[in-house]
């Protein structure tokens, strides 16, 4: 029996060829990344240019479908001169405030209800039927109810946003609690955890990825709730801005408000993603991102 | 022949004495299946583990080994019969018990040190002391450089060592282990078995160690329980009188060890075949 060891000089050449291959692979990744960004920009430019040209040559009627320059002028005049309801930033602020309040209250309520029902089988069996019924009511209709009951102020919009958010978060939190690994719970129990400690240190962390997934969607829902609420009747806010523009057949105004809302949603989505990455940093990276 | 009968003495099951560490007395446990039927997991099961004794349980898959351990923890209650731990009937989860699970039961959102410190923290130990002890145990299982890693960043063998540290830090008087080393490679497993025997002789705990590996059982145990194919009951009990301290890497070449393993295997083999045939018939 003899041990075999590879020759040392061959090891050295292997090292250099690995380094070369690595550099090539990196350059390739770089080029691909640049290509993706370039294509994205190109599509945007082509899209806007076609829209603008179409409007100029009347292929697309700018009265109904607006045009990029028209939308830009509208946003600019809102920024510099303010809207018919007051300064633009105030409208954004009002809508954001309603959305945030609705989102936070709805999400906390959904998480709490999901955890309580997820941990208690009897409560879950009893209440599941009512939750199903409540969930099947078209929620936007509730907006009218809230406006009648709570008036034109902020409360009715917040209430609608809460209702939009609650069920999504509840369903996910409930599912997350139910999926918590049984042997992990047993492990905590034997290590000495009380039922309360199990909830805080095992159940909630393991339901966290489910809950966070629902937060992504439900912020959008909260925004819909707030805007629809304003649409149905309000004194301030982006929804009112849209409905005023609609009443005046001002397509530029509708599109401009829509774009502002989209930007708001994207910014918040970005913040939630950062928060999520921070909270679940223990999660393994998907295989294709590992080692990158 | 003389040697072999002396080394692997077959014991006759008897009612457990009052001062045993673990006493399972004539227990039957039935599960209610999802379609409402009753399914017997173990029946007429009697088992005693004296204080400081190392007992191994072997048996075909699905015969009720994990169920037996869960009876001792109190996570499952017997349908008939009774279970006592340290002389007291099992009413709640005892603080004296440590459990190393068959499946991976570490908390994936906690780093290694937070996982190991979990037990003392749950039990109200001050933070500084809990972490100091955790650091000590992590070093003892050879993972000092990995304190800040998360479980998914460790190999299977390393995770198992974290699980051992997590259990041992509570200094359990009763240690239950459910196939703890079955996912490990030969070398790591041998090293962990040695480590386990060291810890056991140092802490003087009473151990129930479930395994499907008969040689592992004979190498570690004072006493080996052979279970029948499900519904499980004790088929026979062997006392293993191999001298201690035992060295895992060497013991498997000891002629006496080989003799004992052969005797018990001829006993176990029938049950394994029975279990397999039954599995084929019922289709799972
Ligand atoms: N919660 C449960 N509900 C219904 N049946 C169960 C439950 N847990 C276990 N069983 C059944 O009880 C029997 C014994 O299961 P157990 O997990 O104790 O087997 P085991 O001996 O540990 O098997 P293995 O060696 O494969 O781990 C099996 O037939 C299993 O299907
Ligand atoms: Mg098992």
């Amino acid at each position: 029996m003899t041990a075999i060891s590879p020759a040392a000089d061959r090891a050295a050449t292997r090292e250099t060829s690995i380094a070369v291959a690595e550099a090539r692979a990196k350059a390739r990744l770089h080029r691909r990344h640049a290509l993706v960004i370039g294509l994205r920009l190109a599509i945007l430019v082509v899209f806007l240019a076609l829209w603008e040209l179409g409007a100029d040559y009347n292929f697309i009627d700018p009265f109904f479908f607006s045009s990029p320059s028209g939308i830009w002028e509208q946003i600019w005049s809102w920024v510099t001169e303010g809207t018919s309801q007051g300064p633009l930033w105030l409208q954004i602020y009002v809508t954001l405030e309603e959305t945030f309040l609705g989102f936070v209250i709805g999400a906390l309520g959904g998480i709490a209800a999901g955890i309580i029902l997820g941990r208690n089988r009897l409560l879950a069996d009893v209440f599941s039927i009512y939750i199903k019924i409540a969930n099947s009511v078209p929620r936007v209709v509730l907006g009218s109810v809230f406006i009648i009951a709570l008036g034109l102020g902020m409360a009715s919009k917040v209430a609608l946003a809460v209702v939009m958010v609650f069920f999504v978060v509840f369903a996910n939190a409930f599912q997350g609690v139910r999926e918590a690994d049984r042997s992990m719970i047993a492990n905590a129990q034997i290590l000495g955890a009380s039922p309360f400690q199990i909830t805080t240190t095992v159940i909630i962390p393991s339901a966290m990825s489910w809950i966070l997934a629902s937060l992504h969607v439900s912020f959008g829902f909260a925004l819909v709730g707030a805007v629809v609420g304003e649409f149905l009747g309000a004194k301030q806010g982006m929804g009112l801005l849209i409905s005023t523009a609609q009443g005046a057949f001002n397509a530029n105004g509708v599109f401009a408000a829509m774009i502002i809302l989209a930007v708001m949603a994207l910014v918040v989505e970005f913040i939630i993603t950062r928060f999520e990455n921070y909270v679940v940093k223990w999660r393994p990276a998907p295989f294709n991102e590992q080692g990158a | 022949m003389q040697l072999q009968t002396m080394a692997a003495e077959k014991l006759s099951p008897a009612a457990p004495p009052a001062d045993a560490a673990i006493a399972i007395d004539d227990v039957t446990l039935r599960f209610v299946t999802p379609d409402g039927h009753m399914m017997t997991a173990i029946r007429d099961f009697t088992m005693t583990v004296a204080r400081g004794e190392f007992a191994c349980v072997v048996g075909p898959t699905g015969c009720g080994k994990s169920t037996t351990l869960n009876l001792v923890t109190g996570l499952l209650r017997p349908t008939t019969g009774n279970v006592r731990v340290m002389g007291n009937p099992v009413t709640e989860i005892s603080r004296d018990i440590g459990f190393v699970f068959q499946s991976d039961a570490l908390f994936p959102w906690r780093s290694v040190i937070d996982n190991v410190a979990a037990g003392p923290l749950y039990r109200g130990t001050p933070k500084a002391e809990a972490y100091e002890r955790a650091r000590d145990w992590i070093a003892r299982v050879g993972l000092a450089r990995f304190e800040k890693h998360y479980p998914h960043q460790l190999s299977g063998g390393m995770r198992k060592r974290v699980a051992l540290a997590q259990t041992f830090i509570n200094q359990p008087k009763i240690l239950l282990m459910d196939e703890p080393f079955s996912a490990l490679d030969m070398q790591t497993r041998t090293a962990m078995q040695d480590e386990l025997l060291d810890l056991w002789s140092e802490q003087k705990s009473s151990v129930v160690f479930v395994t499907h590996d008969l040689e592992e059982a004979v190498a570690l145990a004072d006493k080996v329980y052979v279970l029948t194919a499900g519904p499980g009951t004790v088929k026979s009990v062997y006392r293993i009188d191999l001298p201690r301290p035992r060295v895992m890497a060497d013991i498997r070449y000891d002629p006496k060890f080989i003799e004992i393993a052969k005797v018990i295997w001829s006993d176990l083999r029938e049950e394994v075949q029975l279990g397999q045939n039954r599995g084929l018939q019922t289709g799972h």
Side-chain angles (χ1 to χ4, degrees):
Chain A
M1 237 180 7
T2 47
I4 305 167
S5 70
D9 53 334
R10 282 179 54 194
T13 51
R14 203 179 303 131
E15 286 285 295
T16 49
S17 63
I18 287 175
V20 169
E22 224 170 42
R24 268 200 212 124
K26 259 193 201 134
R28 201 160 43 226
L29 271 177
H30 228 84
R31 274 202 303 277
R32 219 192 101 78
H33 191 67
L35 179 69
V36 169
I37 303 257
L39 282 176
R40 283 178 184 170
L41 279 175
I43 287 174
L44 180 67
V45 167
V46 168
F47 175 75
L48 289 178
L50 284 180
W51 190 359
E52 185 69 40
L53 287 174
D56 280 357
Y57 290 98
N58 268 321
F59 293 126
I60 305 168
D61 189 344
F63 181 77
F64 297 119
F65 297 110
S66 184
S67 68
S69 61
I71 295 169
W72 176 247
E73 271 161 31
Q74 177 70 78
I75 293 179
W76 187 246
S77 91
W78 280 348
V79 170
T80 52
E81 294 152 33
T83 68
S84 55
Q85 309 147 210
L88 178 64
W89 64 263
L90 183 66
Q91 312 310 313
I92 295 180
Y93 175 79
V94 165
T95 303
L96 267 186
E97 190 178 9
E98 291 158 359
T99 307
F100 267 114
L101 278 175
F103 175 68
V104 169
I105 297 170
L108 288 181
I111 293 171
I115 289 169
I116 291 167
L117 294 205
R119 288 286 274 156
N120 188 323
R121 197 140 263 234
L122 178 66
L123 284 182
D125 288 345
V126 171
F127 278 99
S128 58
I129 180 82
Y130 293 111
I131 287 176
K132 266 204 194 100
I133 293 171
N135 194 23
S136 63
V137 172
R139 283 187 282 285
V140 175
V141 177
L142 287 174
S144 303
V145 177
F146 290 141
I147 297 228
I148 295 168
L150 302 171
L152 293 182
M154 178 176 280
S156 53
K157 286 73 185 175
V158 173
L160 187 55
V162 166
V163 174
M164 300 285 291
V165 169
F166 175 85
F167 288 99
V168 183
V169 177
F170 166 80
N172 269 45
F174 182 77
Q175 189 68 14
V177 169
R178 279 296 169 82
E179 306 260 301
D181 189 64
R182 284 175 39 137
S183 59
M184 218 186 286
I185 297 173
N187 192 19
Q189 261 174 304
I190 290 167
L191 288 173
S194 65
F196 180 73
Q197 283 172 323
I198 288 176
T199 303
T200 54
T201 65
V202 183
I203 301 289
I204 293 180
S206 63
M208 204 36 125
S209 37
W210 283 84
I211 292 171
L212 286 170
S214 73
L215 294 189
H216 275 288
V217 209
S218 60
F219 186 82
F221 281 10
L223 193 59
V224 170
V227 171
V228 169
E230 290 168 356
F231 213 89
L232 294 173
K235 297 190 210 103
Q236 294 275 302
M238 295 303 295
L240 179 62
L241 206 55
I242 294 178
S243 104
T244 315
Q246 181 198 331
F249 290 98
N250 172 9
N252 286 344
V254 174
F255 275 92
M258 203 170 80
I259 285 170
I260 293 170
L261 284 172
V263 170
M264 283 159 58
L266 282 176
V267 169
V268 175
E269 161 81 26
F270 176 77
I271 296 171
I272 292 179
T273 306
R274 291 297 288 271
F275 174 70
E276 179 173 7
N277 289 342
Y278 170 76
V279 173
V280 290
K281 60 180 182 296
W282 53 269
R283 218 162 36 182
F287 270 111
N288 54 14
E289 284 172 26
Q290 248 160 26
Chain B
M1 269 304 143
Q2 182 79 38
L3 254 185
Q4 159 212 337
T5 38
M6 264 169 58
E9 181 197 351
K10 193 159 172 171
L11 306 174
S12 53
D19 67 335
I22 299 171
I24 300 177
D25 189 9
D26 202 18
V27 163
T28 295
L29 187 137
R30 295 195 185 87
F31 284 111
V32 183
T33 55
D35 51 6
H37 292 294
M38 296 296 265
M39 182 261 178
T40 308
I42 61 174
R43 65 183 159 86
D44 313 333
F45 195 104
T46 298
M47 172 175 179
T48 319
V49 180
R51 299 193 183 202
E53 194 171 38
F54 199 124
C56 280
V57 178
V58 293
T61 177
C63 72
K65 303 185 292 294
S66 300
T67 304
T68 307
L69 293 187
N70 281 326
L71 280 168
V72 179
T73 61
L75 289 170
L76 287 176
R77 295 290 152 82
T79 313
T80 64
N82 66 73
V83 181
R84 274 175 294 139
V85 169
M86 293 295 181
N88 305 314
V90 176
T91 49
E92 51 175 17
I93 293 166
S94 161
R95 291 172 75 99
D96 292 337
I97 288 179
F99 198 131
V100 180
F101 283 81
Q102 183 169 9
S103 54
D104 208 355
L106 294 177
F107 308 115
W109 48 83
R110 288 180 167 215
S111 64
V112 168
I113 190 155
D114 290 332
N115 260 293
V116 177
L121 289 176
Y122 283 145
R123 291 168 183 218
T125 310
K127 231 174 167 175
E129 190 193 330
Y131 279 96
E132 193 178 317
R133 275 168 58 195
R135 219 161 275 132
D136 185 40
W137 274 101
I138 293 169
R140 292 187 60 173
V141 296
L143 291 173
R145 289 193 302 118
F146 297 92
E147 276 178 9
K148 293 280 174 327
H149 283 57
Y150 286 92
H152 74 88
Q153 297 166 319
L154 304 177
S155 72
M158 290 156 112
R159 280 205 287 270
K160 211 77 232 190
R161 279 186 273 166
V162 178
L164 288 186
Q166 189 184 49
T167 299
F168 278 113
I169 195 173
N170 278 336
Q171 295 176 311
K173 294 203 190 76
I174 290 177
L175 186 56
L176 309 174
M177 306 181 88
D178 197 351
E179 306 195 19
F181 305 146
S182 56
L184 301 181
D185 64 279
M186 196 62 172
Q187 290 86 337
T188 316
R189 187 195 301 198
T190 310
M192 304 277 293
Q193 288 164 340
D194 281 324
E195 182 77 11
L196 171 63
L197 286 184
D198 282 353
L199 291 171
W200 165 68
S201 58
E202 182 187 307
Q203 310 235 325
K204 303 192 173 30
S205 46
S206 318
V207 181
V208 182
F209 186 104
V210 166
T211 173
H212 58 246
D213 179 349
L214 177 60
E215 295 194 355
E216 182 176 43
V218 174
L220 292 171
D222 293 322
K223 208 154 95 178
V224 174
Y225 280 83
V226 178
L227 306 193
T228 61
T233 188
V234 178
K235 184 177 191 197
S236 28
V237 191
Y238 295 89
R239 178 161 297 288
I240 312 293
D241 277 334
L242 293 171
R244 291 192 191 272
R246 301 178 189 167
V247 178
M248 287 304 126
D250 301 339
I251 198 168
R252 69 185 84 250
Y253 305 113
D254 184 329
K256 209 158 128 189
F257 168 90
I258 296 170
E259 284 301 325
I260 298 172
K262 265 189 198 159
V263 172
I264 304 183
W265 172 239
S266 65
D267 202 358
L268 177 61
R269 185 172 49 198
E270 297 167 26
E271 297 305 323
V272 171
Q273 279 163 353
L274 206 66
Q276 272 169 353
N277 291 344
R278 215 177 279 167
L280 288 177
Q281 275 161 21
T282 50
H284 45 228

